[in-house]
Amino acid sequence: MTKTISFILNGDEISCDIQDHWTLLHLLREELGLIGTKEGCGNGECGACTVIVDQLAVNSCLYLAADVQGKQVQTIEGLAVHTGSLHPIQQSFVDNGGIQCGFCTPGMIMSAKALLDKDPKADQEAVKHALAGNICRCTGYVQILDSVAAAGRQMAKNQGEGAAAAKDPGTITQQSMNKKAGEVIT
Amino acid sequence: MSGYNVVGQRVPKLDAAQKAMGRAEYIQDVRLPGMLFGKILYSRHAHARITAMDISKARALPGVHAVLTGKDIPSKMRMGFYKDNPPLKADKVCCFRDEIAAVAAVSEAVAKKAVSLIEVEYEPLPAVFDPEAAMEKNAPLVHEAHKSNVLKLPWKLHYGDVEAADKASAYVVEDRFTTTWVTHCCLSTSGAVALFDASDNLTVYSNTQIPSLAQKDFLETLGAMGLKGKRVRVIKPVIGGGFGSKLDTYAYEHIAILLAHKCRKPVKILFDRKEEFEATSTRQPTVIYIRQGCDKEGHLTFRDIRMVLDNGGRTSWGATTPSVMMMPITSLYRVPNVRYDAKCVYTNNTYAQAMRGYGNPQATFAIESCMDMLAQKAGIDPVAFRRINQNEPGDVTPQGFKITSCGLAQCIDAVEKELTQGRPLEEGEGIGYASLIHVGGGARIYKSDGCGAILKMDDYGRVDIFTGGTDMGQGLDNMIAQIVAEELGLLAEDINVVHTDTDVCPWDVGAHASRSTFVAGNAALWAARRAKQTLLAFGAKLFEVAPEDLVMENRTVSVKNDPEKTMPVDKLLRKAHFSPGGTMLMADYFYDPPNENMGKDFKCNLSVTYSFGVHGVRVHVDKETGKVTVKNYVAAHDVGRAINPMLLEGQVYGGVIMGLGYALSEEVMIKEGQIRNPNFRDYKLFTAKDAVPIKAPVIETHDPDGPFGAKGIGEPGCVPTAPAVANAIYQAVGVRIKDLPITPEKVLAAILKQSKGS
């Protein structure tokens, strides 16, 4: 059965025709071309396909596309369109070695975001709980947990400073190194 | 301080932002116009003859473009080094994993449906699942033409006189250890896309660790198909995890090629997770008999090991893991007399491949468990026992390995210090240690252990470097970028590392043996040196000084001690380019390390240098449940030099957790040849909730041959983990578990047995 659904995808209202049996993962990847959401198992066991539906991290491989009618869906593509304006969680994963092969990364970041949006000061146990459904085979989780903790600190700070989020001046990033080098040659 | 600007810096992974944004394209994301989808039918029996196969219904299904069976496979087409594995099996199946038919169709759904419509009749045959039983006289033959289940492989060595040393030893222990199947669990499942151009030249998109060797395998496939003289191009999308799983070519790649040729369209085969568990390879399971002795002072006198390896129904690289097991067996600690004999035996189980450590974790599990047992028998503290026997710089081991830089002693110190300071042991806690040796300067398995690099600089001071090496997440791109940037006085972000395409990248033997930083890194370094030489010669003319009076730093070329005479690199490059008789800056280098192939007696200097490490772990064992909790983990490694400490730590952390899974929870459960847990619910990987506190002290010994002194670190992190845990459990509750994984059931059973006995 085909039906038409409307929902908000990464801030934009969209309307599309879907089949009843499609998963949200199928809709995102195969129909809408949003390949940032990954399929690692198709059974809700690895978390690579995690997206946020109405503030809740869900396995999009288990979530029926029809069920997003009228809801807000956020995928990894909705967080940033330029490496210069990464979301604090993305930036933190980059800076703290939270990414190796990267296949689990979008799902990992979306799980972290669902948590930190609610509570940027979440403690490590809460972070571990929030990420328990996201498998990573490369990192041993150490640098992922560091990344989420640092991102939480940054987000709490940003909240404290209001909408005008300031970058942590103490963080050495490749960008800041570039800037320094850029000064040398101009 | 190192005196370096880029080497030694925690530069984020060059592709990390792309990956964090979901923009990295993996094999899952490769879509080509007109692409068809392939699906494979596997055996329903562990051992059977195929008596009939009817593909008419599958072929008649709308949307199906081709159906292939074993009868369509060119007769010469065999995969694997032992050549016992056609991509599709025609007459007989030897394991559940055997591929017997394949379909190409307009969609995955149609392909899946078509596969389900293929009707197969089998005549089941007696099967054998235990490698030791398979060696018995009347055991069913897995391959009748082979006449024996024991593979004809030469894994046997004897250095010194083990029997005399055994007799002369003050203390001797012996035991039997087993390791079982575990698997890579790359988060990205396997897949390939094959397509032919109008002249039968082949392109394969594949997430392979061995682009150059895959190219050779695919050329052989073309040859068997009657397409000699055609070209093969291998393109690697972003690889979602490797760990050795992509070190051989697989049936699905060759089947995609056959289907693409038959359909004259691109064909993609992508595994689902169940297929990933059932149809890719495992770590090599082993049965290990070890006997080891020492003198009164605790010096090792001999090591005698016999192994039986379950080869499964077909042969991939798992059968060659004894060649690497020889390394810890002959060379971990000073041991003058060594004997080793390994037999690979066909069974009707699945078959093994390379997996991080390549046999080293299995051998080290037995050796290091046995080290603790021997220390106890000799009445020597386990750490002191290791110090007595530790390798030292300048040693030549019985196998002929020349130990150059060696930080084993410093690693022991670092781990002991971390684990014993502060909190004393509580009830039910114990500390265990285990060491490792691994190749750290390449490994001459093939006739060449080389890697090529081609470097060019543009008019804007940027570098493109084409390497034969492969980044599969471990961070080779950064190693190369940081090495080249350091040499040329640039920033890591000025370096674009291209490793994705055999049409433009030079040859490399593959991302194995922890060799990429050392070999691909040295190739890149020498290419950069050549480029630098050319550029400085040009700059010397311009500034009217000698080339050695120039320095490249901060993206500029300057005359030493003359701050007036300086020019940005990009400007100098443009001057070189746009002068009359101008030149573009290009350089190449093929680095083939001065290591040696194994001789007939396996003696050689396999690697230019060796990596060492020591792991220590504090565990708590719950005596009521047998549950083991890792309280602290310390993994110290002699890495030569950390090119990028952040990525290096990532390799160690990841290796340790993979090793802890091997030690405690992971097992591909196979019953009568069939995998019972092909999913992440039942195959127990560590999750974020199981994350443990890990410290990773880095010991820098500045290896004379490594690029900026670096040695390999990709595999060592998971090598000594299991024995460290087993030794800690023994220290905690006095039971020794000799069979991996060390599940609560095994621990509890041993505790109960022990309390009954006492």
Side-chain angles (χ1 to χ4, degrees):
Chain A
M1 274 278 289
T2 305
K3 67 158 77 168
T4 304
I5 58 165
S6 300
F7 64 105
I8 296 175
L9 178 60
N10 294 329
D12 296 325
E13 202 169 322
I14 71 159
S15 180
C16 55
D17 294 338
I18 62 155
Q19 301 279 329
D20 276 345
H21 66 274
W22 283 359
T23 62
L24 177 55
L25 176 64
H26 176 90
L27 174 63
L28 293 170
R29 277 187 63 85
E30 309 302 325
E31 308 298 326
L32 300 175
L34 294 176
I35 59 162
T37 303
K38 300 298 180 195
E39 177 173 342
C41 71
N43 293 316
E45 294 165 356
C46 79
C49 66
T50 304
V51 300
I52 298 177
V53 178
D54 283 354
Q55 285 98 52
L56 201 65
V58 303
N59 286 318
S60 64
C61 72
L62 297 181
Y63 202 98
L64 281 177
D67 286 345
V68 299
Q69 166 64 36
K71 291 179 179 160
Q72 297 236 19
V73 177
Q74 212 174 29
T75 71
I76 192 73
E77 288 89 350
L79 266 58
V81 292
H82 189 272
T83 54
S85 57
L86 294 179
H87 185 279
I89 303 176
Q90 292 173 311
Q91 190 65 54
S92 188
F93 270 69
V94 170
D95 294 340
N96 293 294
I99 300 168
Q100 288 188 28
C101 90
F103 201 82
C104 76
T105 306
M108 201 66 85
I109 287 175
M110 296 314 281
S111 285
K113 184 171 188 293
L115 172 73
L116 297 182
D117 278 348
K118 278 191 206 105
D119 179 11
K121 291 180 175 163
D123 65 12
Q124 197 180 59
E125 280 315 300
V127 173
K128 283 183 176 178
H129 184 77
L131 302 184
N134 293 76
I135 291 172
C136 170
R137 187 56 150 167
C138 297
T139 65
Y141 304 101
V142 178
Q143 288 162 319
I144 286 177
L145 295 173
D146 289 349
S147 300
V148 178
R153 287 194 295 275
Q154 185 64 44
M155 287 167 74
K157 197 174 160 206
N158 292 353
Q159 271 183 6
E161 290 171 7
K167 269 208 158 175
D168 181 0
T171 309
I172 299 163
T173 65
Q174 187 62 16
Q175 273 113 353
S176 63
M177 285 171 65
N178 299 348
K179 206 185 252 175
K180 206 170 141 197
E183 283 158 12
V184 176
I185 56 166
T186 46
Chain B
M1 291 305 289
S2 66
Y4 297 129
N5 295 314
V6 191
V7 161
Q9 299 297 316
R10 304 172 86 87
V11 178
K13 209 167 167 335
L14 298 183
D15 59 6
Q18 292 291 326
K19 287 173 171 174
M21 297 171 77
R23 293 168 80 107
E25 291 180 25
Y26 298 81
I27 191 72
Q28 283 77 1
D29 308 317
V30 175
R31 280 151 217 236
L32 302 177
M35 190 171 82
L36 302 176
F37 296 84
K39 211 76 194 148
I40 296 168
L41 179 67
Y42 299 92
S43 169
R44 288 279 177 93
H45 291 269
H47 198 196
R49 279 187 213 296
I50 298 171
T51 52
M53 196 184 292
D54 182 357
I55 58 169
S56 56
K57 284 180 193 156
R59 193 164 270 166
L61 188 72
V64 170
H65 281 242
V67 182
L68 291 178
T69 71
K71 308 250 186 259
D72 301 309
I73 297 295
S75 60
K76 282 184 196 155
M77 212 171 151
R78 292 287 181 277
M79 302 182 303
F81 82 96
Y82 208 65
K83 300 292 173 204
D84 61 0
N85 194 1
L88 292 171
K89 288 61 163 173
D91 305 316
K92 197 185 129 165
V93 288
C94 299
C95 54
F96 277 94
R97 185 177 153 187
D98 271 358
E99 302 84 357
I100 55 171
V103 169
V106 290
S107 71
E108 280 215 59
V110 173
K112 223 173 186 174
K113 172 87 184 156
V115 159
S116 74
L117 293 173
I118 297 172
E119 290 166 6
V120 190
E121 283 175 34
Y122 298 92
E123 179 198 327
L125 297 168
V128 60
F129 303 108
D130 180 314
E132 292 185 289
M135 289 166 74
E136 282 165 20
K137 258 199 173 162
N138 298 321
L141 281 177
V142 177
H143 295 276
E144 288 90 344
H146 194 268
K147 295 196 174 115
S148 160
N149 285 332
V150 180
L151 274 75
K152 296 177 184 77
L153 294 169
W155 312 132
K156 210 171 186 176
L157 60 78
H158 189 175
Y159 306 137
D161 188 339
V162 162
E163 272 154 39
D166 190 337
K167 277 185 198 134
S169 296
Y171 307 100
V172 173
V173 292
E174 69 176 333
D175 223 311
R176 177 185 192 266
F177 295 84
T178 66
T179 67
T180 187
W181 298 276
V182 294
T183 190
H184 311 75
C185 296
C186 303
L187 253 282
S188 160
T189 53
S190 302
V193 182
L195 68 146
F196 285 87
D197 72 7
S199 311
D200 278 337
N201 295 307
L202 169 68
T203 298
V204 182
Y205 292 79
S206 184
N207 41 6
T208 178
Q209 290 175 233
I210 46 158
S212 305
L213 300 189
Q215 186 184 37
K216 181 173 167 282
D217 283 2
F218 299 153
L219 277 166
E220 277 178 21
T221 290
L222 291 192
M225 290 163 71
L227 300 173
K228 278 214 171 79
K230 298 299 175 186
R231 293 171 64 95
V232 170
R233 177 183 186 189
V234 178
I235 298 176
K236 287 179 292 179
V238 176
I239 298 177
F243 316 115
S245 64
K246 295 156 175 74
L247 212 68
D248 205 350
T249 54
Y250 280 85
Y252 67 82
E253 292 166 304
H254 299 273
I255 291 168
I257 292 168
L258 290 162
L259 286 170
H261 192 252
K262 183 150 190 184
C263 301
R264 307 302 313 180
K265 278 169 175 282
V267 173
K268 177 175 190 170
I269 296 180
L270 180 67
F271 278 8
D272 61 29
R273 182 54 61 184
K274 184 168 180 283
E275 219 171 0
E276 186 76 12
F277 271 103
E278 291 175 341
T280 66
S281 290
T282 61
R283 190 186 283 289
Q284 179 64 54
T286 55
V287 181
I288 306 171
Y289 296 90
I290 181 170
R291 194 172 155 86
Q292 202 168 217
C294 67
D295 64 19
K296 271 188 185 152
E297 289 79 38
H299 300 101
L300 287 172
T301 45
F302 77 96
R303 191 177 282 156
D304 193 5
I305 293 183
R306 186 167 66 79
M307 275 190 204
V308 178
L309 282 71
D310 184 340
N311 197 71
R314 308 280 171 187
T315 309
S316 179
W317 292 124
T320 67
T321 52
S323 65
V324 173
M325 297 185 193
M326 287 173 182
M327 173 174 48
I329 289 169
T330 64
S331 305
L332 178 59
Y333 305 118
R334 289 170 161 172
V335 52
N337 302 288
V338 192
R339 186 162 58 186
Y340 177 47
D341 179 357
K343 288 195 167 54
C344 302
V345 187
Y346 278 128
T347 67
N348 297 109
N349 292 318
T350 189
Y351 48 101
Q353 234 264 68
M355 186 170 170
R356 201 177 202 169
Y358 211 99
N360 197 343
Q362 296 94 311
T364 300
F365 173 55
I367 293 166
E368 279 290 24
S369 296
C370 188
M371 281 293 283
D372 261 32
M373 294 160 73
L374 189 55
Q376 190 187 14
K377 195 157 187 183
I380 303 172
D381 168 75
V383 178
F385 189 55
R386 287 175 171 83
R387 284 203 176 98
I388 292 168
N389 291 290
Q390 72 199 12
N391 306 91
E392 299 277 3
D395 283 359
V396 178
T397 74
Q399 201 177 346
F401 294 178
K402 293 174 186 146
I403 308 299
T404 53
S405 61
C406 173
L408 186 59
Q410 296 98 301
C411 289
I412 295 174
D413 294 345
V415 174
E416 192 187 33
K417 193 176 150 211
E418 282 287 350
L419 275 177
T420 51
Q421 68 186 8
R423 197 167 64 81
L425 284 181
E426 287 170 20
E427 169 62 22
E429 286 190 349
I431 290 177
Y433 296 86
S435 309
L436 79 100
I437 181 174
H438 203 69
V439 286
R444 204 166 198 83
I445 305 302
Y446 299 89
K447 280 186 181 159
S448 172
D449 190 22
C451 175
I454 302 168
L455 185 151
K456 70 182 179 72
M457 294 188 80
D458 66 16
D459 290 339
Y460 317 103
R462 306 287 168 135
V463 172
D464 295 298
I465 181 155
F466 303 86
T467 175
T470 292
D471 193 321
M472 50 201 171
Q474 87 280 34
L476 178 65
D477 285 1
N478 274 62
M479 297 306 107
I480 288 177
Q482 290 183 243
I483 286 166
V484 170
E486 185 66 51
E487 186 62 19
L488 296 177
L490 303 173
L491 292 180
E493 71 126 37
D494 297 335
I495 319 296
N496 175 38
V497 183
V498 181
H499 65 79
T500 49
D501 187 343
T502 56
D503 262 11
V504 295
C505 294
W507 190 88
D508 174 57
V509 77
H512 72 201
S514 303
R515 65 186 282 284
S516 295
T517 295
F518 190 93
V519 181
N522 263 326
L525 177 60
W526 280 101
R529 281 178 180 158
R530 282 184 170 178
K532 187 175 177 177
Q533 203 177 12
T534 309
L535 192 63
L536 291 188
F538 185 81
K541 262 192 223 159
L542 204 71
F543 288 120
E544 297 178 325
V545 295
E548 48 279 14
D549 292 331
L550 292 173
V551 283
M552 287 179 83
E553 235 173 39
N554 296 323
R555 290 172 166 162
T556 58
V557 176
S558 326
V559 178
K560 280 180 211 164
N561 309 322
D562 189 350
E564 297 293 305
K565 287 186 176 172
T566 179
M567 187 177 286
V569 165
D570 58 334
K571 197 170 169 188
L572 188 62
L573 285 161
R574 286 195 293 274
K575 277 199 183 290
H577 179 185
F578 295 108
S579 302
T583 181
M584 285 299 293
L585 205 71
M586 288 177 279
D588 61 28
Y589 199 85
F590 185 74
Y591 178 76
D592 193 9
N595 48 10
E596 299 164 0
N597 285 117
M598 288 175 168
K600 274 193 177 157
D601 56 358
F602 298 103
K603 284 197 178 177
C604 65
N605 189 30
L606 184 63
S607 185
V608 179
T609 185
Y610 299 86
S611 294
F612 293 87
V614 175
H615 288 201
V617 58
R618 178 198 288 245
V619 303
H620 176 265
V621 182
D622 184 331
K623 286 181 189 164
E624 300 295 316
T625 63
K627 186 175 159 49
V628 176
T629 308
V630 176
K631 308 295 264 186
N632 295 95
Y633 201 99
V634 186
H637 292 268
D638 163 16
V639 302
R641 181 188 298 281
I643 302 288
N644 182 324
M646 181 168 79
L647 269 53
L648 168 64
E649 285 156 14
Q651 286 304 297
V652 175
Y653 298 146
V656 166
I657 294 293
M658 190 178 271
L660 285 175
Y662 190 50
L664 293 168
S665 66
E666 290 181 37
E667 179 178 12
V668 179
M669 295 171 179
I670 301 184
K671 199 173 169 199
E672 300 199 326
Q674 197 161 23
I675 295 176
R676 301 297 168 146
N677 58 341
N679 57 67
F680 286 139
R681 192 185 57 234
D682 301 318
Y683 184 90
K684 299 295 184 190
L685 291 170
F686 272 50
T687 70
K689 276 208 149 174
D690 310 307
V692 299
I694 306 172
K695 284 201 171 157
V698 171
I699 307 298
E700 293 197 316
T701 50
H702 302 167
D703 189 81
D705 299 298
F708 294 99
K711 309 199 260 192
I713 188 61
E715 294 163 284
C718 76
V719 169
T721 320
V725 170
N727 289 342
I729 292 168
Y730 184 84
Q731 294 298 331
V733 289
V735 299
R736 179 153 298 280
I737 310 299
K738 300 161 197 162
D739 308 290
L740 297 182
I742 305 172
T743 56
E745 292 91 327
K746 287 180 195 166
V747 176
L748 186 60
I751 290 172
L752 291 175
K753 197 175 160 194
Q754 181 195 46
S755 60
K756 260 187 207 163
S758 61

